[in-house]
Amino acid sequence: MSAWQEGRRSDAEPCREQDIGLFEITNRDGRARLGRLHTKHGILETPALLPVINPNIRTIEPREMWDRYGISALITNSYIIWKHDNLKQQAIRDGVHSLIDYPGVIMTDSGTFQSYIYGDVEVGVEEIVEFQNSIGVDIATMLDVFTRPDMSESEVKSAVMETAERAAISIQTAKDTMLNGPIQGGVFKDLRILSAKKMAKHDFSIHPIGGIVPIMEKHMYKDYVKIMLSTLPYLPPNRPVHMFGCGHPMLFPMSIALGADLFDSAAYALFAKDGRLLTPWGTEKLAELVDWPITMPCVAYTSPNEVRGLDSEEQVKILARYNLEVTLTELARCKQAVRDGTIWRLAERRSHQHPALREAFLWITTSPNKAGLSVVDLEELAMTDRAAARERDNTRGSWENSWDWIVSAQESPKKGGVSWGGDDTYFRPHIVEARRQLTSRWKTPEPKGNGSDDVLILHGRPGPWRERCSDLMTRLTHHAEGMEVMIMTPLGLIPYSMEDLNPFSHVSGPSWIWRRKPDLPWIRRELERFELGDRRIILCDLEGDGIQARCMNTLVEAGVLKAINDENASDIPLDTEGRSIAIDKVRRRHVSDKMTVLLNVEHSLARELLQDATFVINRQGRIKNAISSSGKHIASPRLTDGGISLTTDGAIELHSHRRRKIPTGFDTTQAWNFIGEGPAWVVVDDDAEPFVRKGRNVFHGFVLAADPWITPGRTCLIVNQKGELLGHGLSNCCSEEFAVFKKGIAIKTRDGLREAN
Ligand code: GUN
């Protein structure tokens, strides 16, 4: 009988020698990531929860965690083993895996937490790392100095400095054992940054965020997220981040959305001892339950009442299992949300579970009022939670970079609809990024100055708008070419040429979100973001039938279509030739605007490339391919998300228009400073060239340089060191990530160029 049939899982296989310690990303959603950490006891898939095992008291056997729960890593305490002679001798003799009977990844802590609880520990800095090494742990922890939230700034600073001073000798002592380099700093932003910068310089494998247990115990979740946001942007992105002592499932979605990879939990056992159950929305007392908050496999055939009747040891065992099962389920839910691109939405939902969590969430999303970044001007939110949150925190402005760090990693457009979640919707980072991209890159053509340079705002209905408005657009293009047509969506105004763009066109929610009365000052501010602030505004409600007639009447009333008399308004004359010229103009605009916004092509260049373009149209009348005047298929609008896919001929064309020098290195300056520079370039080394030319993906370790504006999910051009085009593809990461990752796919190549051109 196989191990699997017996209910056993086979033991972990060691990873390849050269991979040990490496971390790779397999999926991402903004700063949230799914990864694989390579160790001597197999691959640890992240995000992961490492249950805490006390070698003296085992509520659930480690072997059962491996076999039954599929847990690939756990954490135990080397200091406890070191202190108890019987454990110590056995660990030295047989190794830690045999001591606790566990075949997976074992991480050990160093005794720092005991020093926080009991005041001091008698073990030395090198001694404890040496010991962890000698008992064969997979991931050891150096002896850091714990920082409590009640410590003064100078006390915390000396703890940070002392921890940093111990780093070099700890790394040296660990030899080839992977080592945790904890970040301290209490609740002081600058000291967290200092700690992150100092620890990042050493060759640690993982960075735990330390000193957060008392913060979580006191429900200081706003401080918890501030600690994350002040630390993570300064850590090398190729090292997993571990939230030390965080094991409550309620915190998982938000922590993962902000970039956490590892958690450890004594909570499953501690809460069980206390007769309490963990749930994704908080904690419940067994004493008060008639039904289980969630049915879990371990309690499927029993009731809270029956469990209350068990002796206390049995009761703790069953509650510990319950807590572990709930925790693992929430973690699995988070992982799926990362794959689906909905982790922020999950964090947003969970934020309502606890007032302190909600406060933390509102604090993160109270984005600094940087022009063009927030959808709703904060001034307008005077009565809302966010305005209140901002008022109470006058340091918010100094966190602008952290918010940008989250926003800049978002993929846009992405697949899938936006489900309306009230005001929170505006502050979802991928929506903020979509708006930033649109308003910073889109440009209106030079005004015609023929009296038709107004803006027509279509409002009152959800999309797709093309079905109802395409004839209207054709006629307007013919009769009033300088007029911009914008659509009012619940996420802000969008140009008509972007009418199918995700997320704007994919919002599902109550019908009133589309029926909001247009507010002129708001529209004016929106238009200013598009540099259309000085245009005359004409409003047209799309509700009901006869849209075209109504629009035309509105335009006639506004005096835009002077040539048309009222009777003819709904049916502006347009001969066949005029119609086909106008239809082509609308199509050209559609593709050129998308190239400008989504491929970062300078708007006049995009228009020039499409000057005499022709289009292949599908059965629904939508553009399938854009063909340049020289007969080359250069791009294809995507029907799923309203994006645009570059073709190889399109890549060659855009490559030939590059004005900038070849990038050297990895600049981390914010992406939005490089408007109109085209798709980012990625320079790969000579070994990768033949593979890219064959259309193979680019792996980390082969990228030598990248443009600063490269971000996940965006089209990029792959070049060699001479700047010759090798292929094009979609990036998996930001510039600073290319610089440090050694494993995993860096760019998904769409196509390679067989020969040098
Ligand atoms: N466990 C919980 N918090 C900490 C911490 O700050 N440092 C270490 N080493 N272990 C911890």
Side-chain angles (χ1 to χ4, degrees):
M1 212 195 275
S2 72
W4 178 78
Q5 282 165 318
E6 284 169 17
R8 280 197 302 115
R9 187 178 158 205
S10 33
D11 288 358
E13 293 288 327
C15 293
R16 296 188 315 172
E17 191 69 29
Q18 67 268 35
D19 287 345
I20 294 190
L22 295 184
F23 182 53
E24 60 178 309
I25 303 294
T26 54
N27 292 75
R28 71 182 298 161
D29 177 9
R31 290 291 167 189
R33 52 212 198 152
L34 304 189
R36 287 150 61 92
L37 179 65
H38 296 253
T39 81
K40 284 189 208 147
H41 285 83
I43 289 173
L44 172 57
E45 295 197 355
T46 65
L49 169 87
L50 282 59
V52 175
I53 299 293
N54 182 332
N56 285 317
I57 320 154
R58 302 177 185 182
T59 324
I60 303 175
E61 280 300 320
R63 179 57 74 169
E64 189 185 344
M65 294 207 174
W66 174 262
D67 285 337
R68 179 177 162 133
Y69 289 115
I71 288 170
S72 296
L74 48 77
I75 180 165
T76 187
N77 198 298
S78 65
Y79 178 67
I80 297 178
I81 302 174
W82 179 84
K83 250 186 95 116
H84 293 83
D85 214 40
N86 55 334
L87 296 175
K88 184 176 183 175
Q89 295 315 328
Q90 196 192 333
I92 291 173
R93 196 180 60 236
D94 304 330
V96 69
H97 291 81
S98 159
L99 176 75
I100 59 174
D101 185 23
Y102 182 72
V105 179
I106 298 185
M107 180 189 280
T108 43
D109 202 350
S110 54
T112 300
F113 196 66
Q114 280 65 26
S115 74
Y116 155 64
I117 302 281
Y118 306 112
D120 204 6
V121 286
E122 62 266 35
V123 75
V125 172
E126 289 164 71
E127 194 178 7
I128 196 66
V129 176
E130 176 105 57
F131 177 65
Q132 294 173 81
N133 205 2
S134 73
I135 62 175
V137 309
D138 296 291
I139 305 160
T141 304
M142 64 165 281
L143 194 68
D144 49 324
V145 184
F146 198 92
T147 51
R148 299 186 316 270
D150 62 340
M151 280 162 77
S152 71
E153 195 164 350
S154 69
E155 285 171 320
V156 172
K157 182 155 188 192
S158 45
V160 164
M161 299 307 280
E162 176 64 28
T163 301
E165 261 157 43
R166 294 176 180 180
I169 187 69
S170 302
I171 293 271
Q172 212 181 316
T173 313
K175 301 199 183 83
D176 59 359
T177 300
M178 292 161 71
L179 194 64
N180 274 327
I183 308 300
Q184 295 291 345
V187 289
F188 300 101
K189 180 183 177 193
D190 292 345
L191 294 179
R192 286 279 171 186
I193 295 174
L194 181 70
S195 181
K197 285 185 175 168
K198 282 188 171 290
M199 300 299 277
K201 288 199 185 120
H202 300 274
D203 195 16
F204 289 108
S205 299
I206 297 175
H207 286 294
I209 310 297
I212 55 175
V213 169
I215 287 173
M216 292 181 292
E217 281 169 353
K218 295 192 184 93
H219 303 299
M220 295 160 65
Y221 300 137
K222 190 159 94 175
D223 290 287
Y224 175 89
V225 298
K226 283 185 178 179
I227 288 169
M228 284 194 79
L229 285 179
S230 44
T231 313
L232 269 60
Y234 296 94
L235 292 175
N238 60 332
R239 300 183 190 169
V241 171
H242 178 157
M243 303 310 292
F244 245 154
C246 175
H248 199 304
M250 189 172 79
L251 289 172
F252 289 174
M254 191 147 80
S255 309
I256 291 171
L258 296 179
D261 305 294
L262 297 170
F263 301 90
D264 67 87
S265 175
Y268 74 100
L270 296 177
F271 280 64
K273 281 197 192 98
D274 212 19
R276 287 191 293 164
L277 281 72
L278 300 176
T279 75
W281 52 86
T283 309
E284 313 241 359
K285 290 200 176 97
L286 177 69
E288 294 168 2
L289 295 175
V290 175
D291 290 304
W292 297 113
I294 328 174
T295 307
M296 282 290 142
C298 67
V299 294
Y301 302 105
T302 182
S303 67
N305 198 31
E306 272 172 11
V307 172
R308 276 194 292 268
L310 298 174
D311 71 43
S312 73
E313 200 179 322
E314 279 306 302
Q315 195 182 99
V316 169
K317 282 204 157 132
I318 203 161
L319 292 189
R321 278 200 177 79
Y322 184 92
N323 288 340
L324 195 61
E325 287 174 8
V326 166
T327 308
L328 293 173
T329 306
E330 181 67 354
L331 194 64
R333 200 174 280 131
C334 290
K335 287 166 80 173
Q336 189 57 41
V338 175
R339 287 183 203 106
D340 295 344
T342 56
I343 188 67
W344 198 270
R345 175 82 181 108
L346 185 61
E348 183 185 302
R349 284 199 189 131
R350 293 286 189 252
S351 75
H352 293 275
Q353 313 296 359
H354 190 287
L357 203 56
R358 183 69 190 154
E359 187 186 12
F361 185 82
L362 285 172
W363 181 84
I364 307 173
T365 54
T366 304
S367 71
N369 194 12
K370 193 171 170 180
L373 273 189
S374 62
V375 176
V376 177
D377 296 295
L378 288 168
E379 279 72 9
E380 284 174 56
L381 295 176
M383 301 303 288
T384 68
D385 299 341
R386 272 187 189 77
R390 190 176 64 143
E391 239 163 56
R392 278 197 303 275
D393 187 352
N394 54 16
T395 66
R396 193 64 189 85
S398 69
W399 292 88
E400 211 170 280
N401 290 345
S402 323
W403 179 240
D404 290 352
W405 178 77
I406 300 172
V407 170
S408 63
Q410 305 293 320
E411 188 176 329
S412 184
K414 59 183 187 182
K415 289 176 191 67
V418 173
S419 58
W420 182 251
D423 281 356
D424 283 350
T425 322
Y426 303 127
F427 299 89
R428 290 182 195 153
H430 85 273
I431 288 172
V432 175
E433 169 60 10
R435 284 191 37 97
R436 187 199 57 70
Q437 190 172 270
L438 183 60
T439 55
S440 62
R441 291 181 179 174
W442 182 88
K443 287 268 175 313
T444 185
E446 286 302 309
K448 294 268 177 249
N450 60 2
S452 62
D453 295 328
D454 304 297
V455 184
L456 174 66
I457 310 278
L458 305 178
H459 65 95
R461 282 190 71 95
W465 293 278
R466 58 188 169 271
E467 285 160 15
R468 303 181 137 247
C469 302
S470 65
D471 191 43
L472 169 74
M473 283 306 295
T474 311
R475 287 165 191 275
L476 280 181
T477 304
H478 183 80
H479 290 285
E481 204 183 343
M483 174 177 293
E484 276 303 345
V485 180
M486 310 288 280
I487 301 168
M488 193 174 126
T489 79
L491 305 178
L493 292 187
I494 57 166
Y496 183 84
S497 54
M498 298 282 165
E499 65 90 29
D500 58 350
L501 185 65
N502 177 291
F504 306 98
S505 59
H506 299 131
V507 189
S508 55
S511 55
W512 54 258
I513 60 174
W514 294 98
R515 291 294 308 147
R516 284 209 182 112
K517 240 178 98 190
D519 173 61
L520 275 176
W522 178 82
I523 289 179
R524 182 72 63 202
R525 278 196 299 278
E526 282 285 279
L527 290 177
E528 273 161 16
R529 294 195 171 115
F530 289 101
E531 294 180 9
L532 294 171
D534 53 354
R535 302 282 183 104
R536 187 165 64 131
I537 298 168
I538 304 167
L539 295 172
C540 179
D541 189 347
L542 294 178
E543 180 60 8
D545 293 329
I547 289 171
Q548 182 148 319
R550 185 184 348 218
C551 260
M552 290 306 173
N553 282 329
T554 311
L555 293 167
V556 170
E557 273 160 33
V560 179
L561 302 178
K562 296 186 199 68
I564 316 298
N565 63 41
D566 283 6
E567 287 91 6
N568 286 338
S570 64
D571 190 21
I572 309 173
L574 190 52
D575 59 29
T576 322
E577 199 196 340
R579 170 178 290 277
S580 78
I581 292 172
I583 286 177
D584 259 10
K585 278 188 184 162
V586 175
R587 287 175 178 159
R588 272 202 289 279
R589 188 77 197 277
H590 180 78
V591 178
S592 71
D593 278 9
K594 288 203 167 167
M595 288 180 76
T596 304
V597 172
L598 305 174
L599 298 175
N600 198 26
V601 178
E602 215 267 311
H603 64 111
S604 56
L605 173 62
R607 272 161 210 172
E608 188 190 311
L609 291 177
L610 291 156
Q611 188 72 48
D612 301 306
T614 53
F615 302 95
V616 177
I617 306 298
N618 75 5
R619 262 190 267 155
Q620 284 82 39
R622 299 179 73 185
I623 302 171
K624 223 165 86 177
N625 301 331
I627 315 289
S628 70
S629 55
S630 53
K632 301 250 164 74
H633 171 197
I634 55 169
S636 286
R638 281 196 304 272
L639 307 185
T640 43
D641 60 359
I644 192 157
S645 299
L646 193 64
T647 62
T648 302
D649 279 333
I652 293 170
E653 186 71 56
L654 295 185
H655 177 260
S656 73
H657 288 277
R658 167 91 171 194
R659 292 183 303 252
R660 251 176 190 278
K661 286 197 296 218
I662 307 174
T664 52
F666 303 95
D667 188 343
T668 53
T669 324
Q670 293 297 348
W672 40 79
N673 296 334
F674 300 91
I675 294 171
E677 300 280 357
W681 279 21
V682 175
V683 184
V684 297
D685 88 6
D686 295 346
D687 291 344
E689 177 162 346
F691 295 95
V692 176
R693 286 194 182 278
K694 280 187 206 135
R696 306 264 180 82
N697 292 335
V698 178
F699 285 88
H700 282 296
F702 295 92
V703 178
L704 301 175
D707 278 326
W709 63 95
I710 193 155
T711 52
R714 305 292 156 84
T715 298
C716 58
L717 304 186
I718 309 163
V719 301
N720 62 17
Q721 291 176 72
K722 288 183 258 166
E724 291 161 349
L725 184 65
L726 309 177
H728 62 106
L730 297 179
S731 169
N732 268 349
C733 40
C734 314
S735 191
E736 72 269 21
E737 293 168 336
F738 283 118
V740 291
F741 274 97
K742 299 276 181 309
K743 199 161 171 61
I745 299 174
I747 296 158
K748 281 195 215 125
T749 304
R750 273 177 59 89
D751 198 10
L753 275 79
R754 304 288 176 265
E755 298 137 36
N757 60 135

